[in-house]
């Protein structure tokens, strides 16, 4: 789940979003052209407006008082690469593979709204040459993402049918499993910009004037309100429609080795900021199912990139293997068997156990943040 964005016409005024750019600068990074991005509460300064196609590194520093999100986006808001939850005073390096064309670098203070944006022109006809193993990784990951979308639709239709039948218990039973494919591939779904706010936004993530739709709106009806009315039945149909749109569009997503690596890290960030805290499924308490889906999706991306990552950085691959295994083992203690998604209700997981889960996520997230750099060495 990410916070929503609206189009430029709904953005705050340009006067409130002043920013500074400098002239074109060459890279000082080994992994491509480096752009210094300095984010603050109302500005987004970038060190260049033009870079050559290939591997581009954003060297991000948040000098504001709010957590921010930094993205490379197409003009239509499709996301090429992003890093969410960059805290005040925090620095982060984001590596992406970018083709020639016109883009924007967006800083989103508070991770809401259109954000502060700078134009970015990427020159040249082609990107860097890839190891053929990376081309295979991208092809296999694209097939995986499509497979997850295809498997999600019948599960969501089962969930929606139970709601339309007024069957509260059947709808509750179908809820968590209907989300699994989405959670495994969430960064790809989020890359379109407009689908996630329709299907996966929480009440506290709504923008002013936005109607609450999707899984979490229905979750509240089932667990908190304990009722299914005419509105919920309509929203169930809309959820199916929106996810069919996702299913059709997912094959057109921009996928590169670096977007796979960055997406794997984003999935762990999703766990840290939503699942471990219990905020994601706050009514159903099925957070551990989402948690497992995020970890499975991150692990799939890593496993596909591993042949190259292990060659370029053997120590990193060994550490990732170790930390994925440790987190998987810990998660297994919260379910009845390794083949089911029948996890313990998260409201039954105590403070110390949540801390243990959080520590395991952080232990994996740190080396996972280095995967993109290892892939492009």
């Amino acid at each position: 789940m990410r916070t929503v964005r609206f189009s430029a016409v709904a953005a705050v005024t340009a006067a409130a979003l002043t920013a500074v750019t400098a002239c074109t600068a060459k890279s000082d990074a080994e992994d491509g052209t480096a752009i210094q991005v300095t984010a603050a509460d109302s500005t987004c300064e970038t060190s260049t407006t033009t870079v050559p196609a290939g591997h581009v590194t954003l060297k991000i520093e948040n000098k504001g008082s709010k957590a921010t999100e930094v993205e490379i986006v197409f003009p239509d808001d499709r996301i090429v690469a992003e890093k969410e939850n960059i805290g005040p005073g925090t620095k982060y390096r984001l590596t992406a593979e970018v083709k020639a064309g016109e883009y924007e670098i967006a800083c989103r203070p508070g991770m809401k709204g259109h954000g502060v944006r700078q134009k970015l022109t990427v020159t040249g006809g082609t990107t860097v040459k890839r190891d053929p193993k990376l081309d295979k990784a991208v092809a296999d990951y694209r097939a995986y993402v499509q497979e997850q979308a295809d498997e999600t639709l019948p599960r969501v239709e089962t969930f929606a049918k139970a709601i339309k039948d007024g069957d509260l218990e059947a709808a509750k039973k179908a809820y968590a499993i209907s989300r699994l494919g989405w959670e495994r591939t969430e960064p790809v779904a989020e890359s379109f910009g407009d689908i996630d706010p329709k299907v996966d936004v929480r009440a506290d993530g709504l923008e002013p004037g936005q109607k609450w739709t999707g899984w979490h709106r229905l979750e509240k009806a089932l667990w908190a309100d304990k009722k299914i009315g005419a509105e919920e039945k309509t929203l169930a149909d809309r959820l199916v429609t929106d996810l069919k749109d996702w299913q059709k569009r997912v094959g057109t997503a921009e996928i590169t080795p670096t977007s796979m690596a960055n997406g794997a890290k984003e999935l762990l960030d999703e766990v840290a900021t939503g699942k471990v805290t219990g905020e994601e499924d706050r009514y159903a308490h099925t957070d551990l199912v989402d948690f497992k889906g995020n970890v499975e999706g991150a692990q799939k991306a890593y496993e596909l990139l591993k042949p190259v990552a292990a060659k370029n950085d053997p120590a990193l691959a060994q550490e990732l293997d170790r930390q994925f295994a440790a987190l998987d083992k810990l998660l297994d203690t919260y379910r009845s068997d390794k083949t089911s998604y029948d996890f313990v209700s998260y409201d039954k997981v105590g403070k110390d156990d949540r801390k243990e889960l959080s520590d395991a996520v952080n232990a994996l997230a740190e080396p996972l943040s280095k995967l993109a750099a290892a892939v492009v060495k």
Side-chain angles (χ1 to χ4, degrees), residues 24 33 35 48-56 58 72-74 80 96-105 119-128:
T24 301
T33 299
I35 304 172
T48 181
T49 58
T50 306
V51 292
H55 292 133
V56 175
L58 302 187
I72 301 174
V73 296
F74 290 102
V80 178
E97 184 177 327
V98 186
K99 298 177 182 178
E102 297 298 323
Y103 302 85
E104 294 177 335
I105 293 177
K119 300 292 185 183
L120 177 67
T121 299
V122 179
T123 61
T126 59
T127 57
V128 295

Side-chain angles (χ1 to χ4, degrees), residues 181-192:
W182 174 274
E183 292 295 332
R184 288 170 175 157
T185 60
E186 197 165 0
V188 175
E190 290 179 348
S191 71
F192 295 110

Side-chain angles (χ1 to χ4, degrees), residues 327-339:
L327 183 53
D328 286 337
K329 183 178 179 181
L330 180 59
L331 281 172
D332 284 344
T333 65
Y334 291 94
R335 57 178 174 172
S336 55
D337 66 76
K338 294 182 180 181
T339 62

Side-chain angles (χ1 to χ4, degrees), residues 56-243:
V56 175
T57 296
L58 302 187
K59 298 170 68 176
I60 303 163
E61 182 176 6
N62 182 7
K63 291 188 175 181
S65 63
K66 307 172 184 176
T68 195
E69 178 176 339
V70 175
E71 307 162 335
I72 301 174
V73 296
F74 290 102
D76 64 1
D77 253 7
R78 285 177 297 133
I79 298 171
V80 178
E82 67 176 342
K83 177 66 181 80
E84 300 178 3
N85 290 298
I86 304 171
T90 301
K91 296 181 180 181
Y92 191 85
R93 291 172 64 92
L94 176 66
T95 300
E97 184 177 327
V98 186
K99 298 177 182 178
E102 297 298 323
Y103 302 85
E104 294 177 335
I105 293 177
C107 303
R108 301 177 61 226
M111 298 183 291
K112 288 190 175 185
H114 184 69
V116 192
R117 299 197 173 197
Q118 296 292 352
K119 300 292 185 183
L120 177 67
T121 299
V122 179
T123 61
T126 59
T127 57
V128 295
K129 291 183 178 179
R130 285 185 192 158
D131 185 320
K133 292 178 182 177
L134 292 178
D135 288 329
K136 184 177 187 305
V138 169
D140 289 348
Y141 186 68
R142 188 178 294 280
Y144 171 74
V145 170
Q146 187 66 62
E147 177 186 74
Q148 294 304 309
D150 292 345
E151 290 179 357
T152 294
L153 258 295
R155 293 171 179 169
V156 171
E157 287 169 344
T158 297
F159 175 57
K161 183 179 184 302
I163 290 173
K164 292 170 70 177
D165 289 345
D167 192 334
L168 194 71
E169 292 308 312
K172 286 182 175 182
K173 185 176 180 181
Y175 170 76
I177 199 70
S178 76
R179 293 171 51 75
L180 196 55
W182 174 274
E183 292 295 332
R184 288 170 175 157
T185 60
E186 197 165 0
V188 175
E190 290 179 348
S191 71
F192 295 110
D194 62 333
I195 297 177
D196 183 88
K198 297 175 183 177
V199 304
D200 200 32
V201 69
R202 302 190 302 253
D204 52 349
L206 295 170
E207 293 279 0
Q210 181 191 0
K211 180 178 173 58
W212 191 15
T213 61
W215 269 303
H216 295 301
R217 166 63 179 82
L218 293 168
E219 176 202 1
K220 180 178 182 294
L222 297 175
W223 274 274
D225 302 334
K226 296 180 173 60
K227 66 177 184 179
I228 298 173
E231 183 179 4
E232 285 72 34
K233 293 178 181 180
T234 299
L235 289 173
D237 279 334
R238 177 168 175 177
L239 178 63
V240 172
T241 298
D242 289 337
L243 288 170

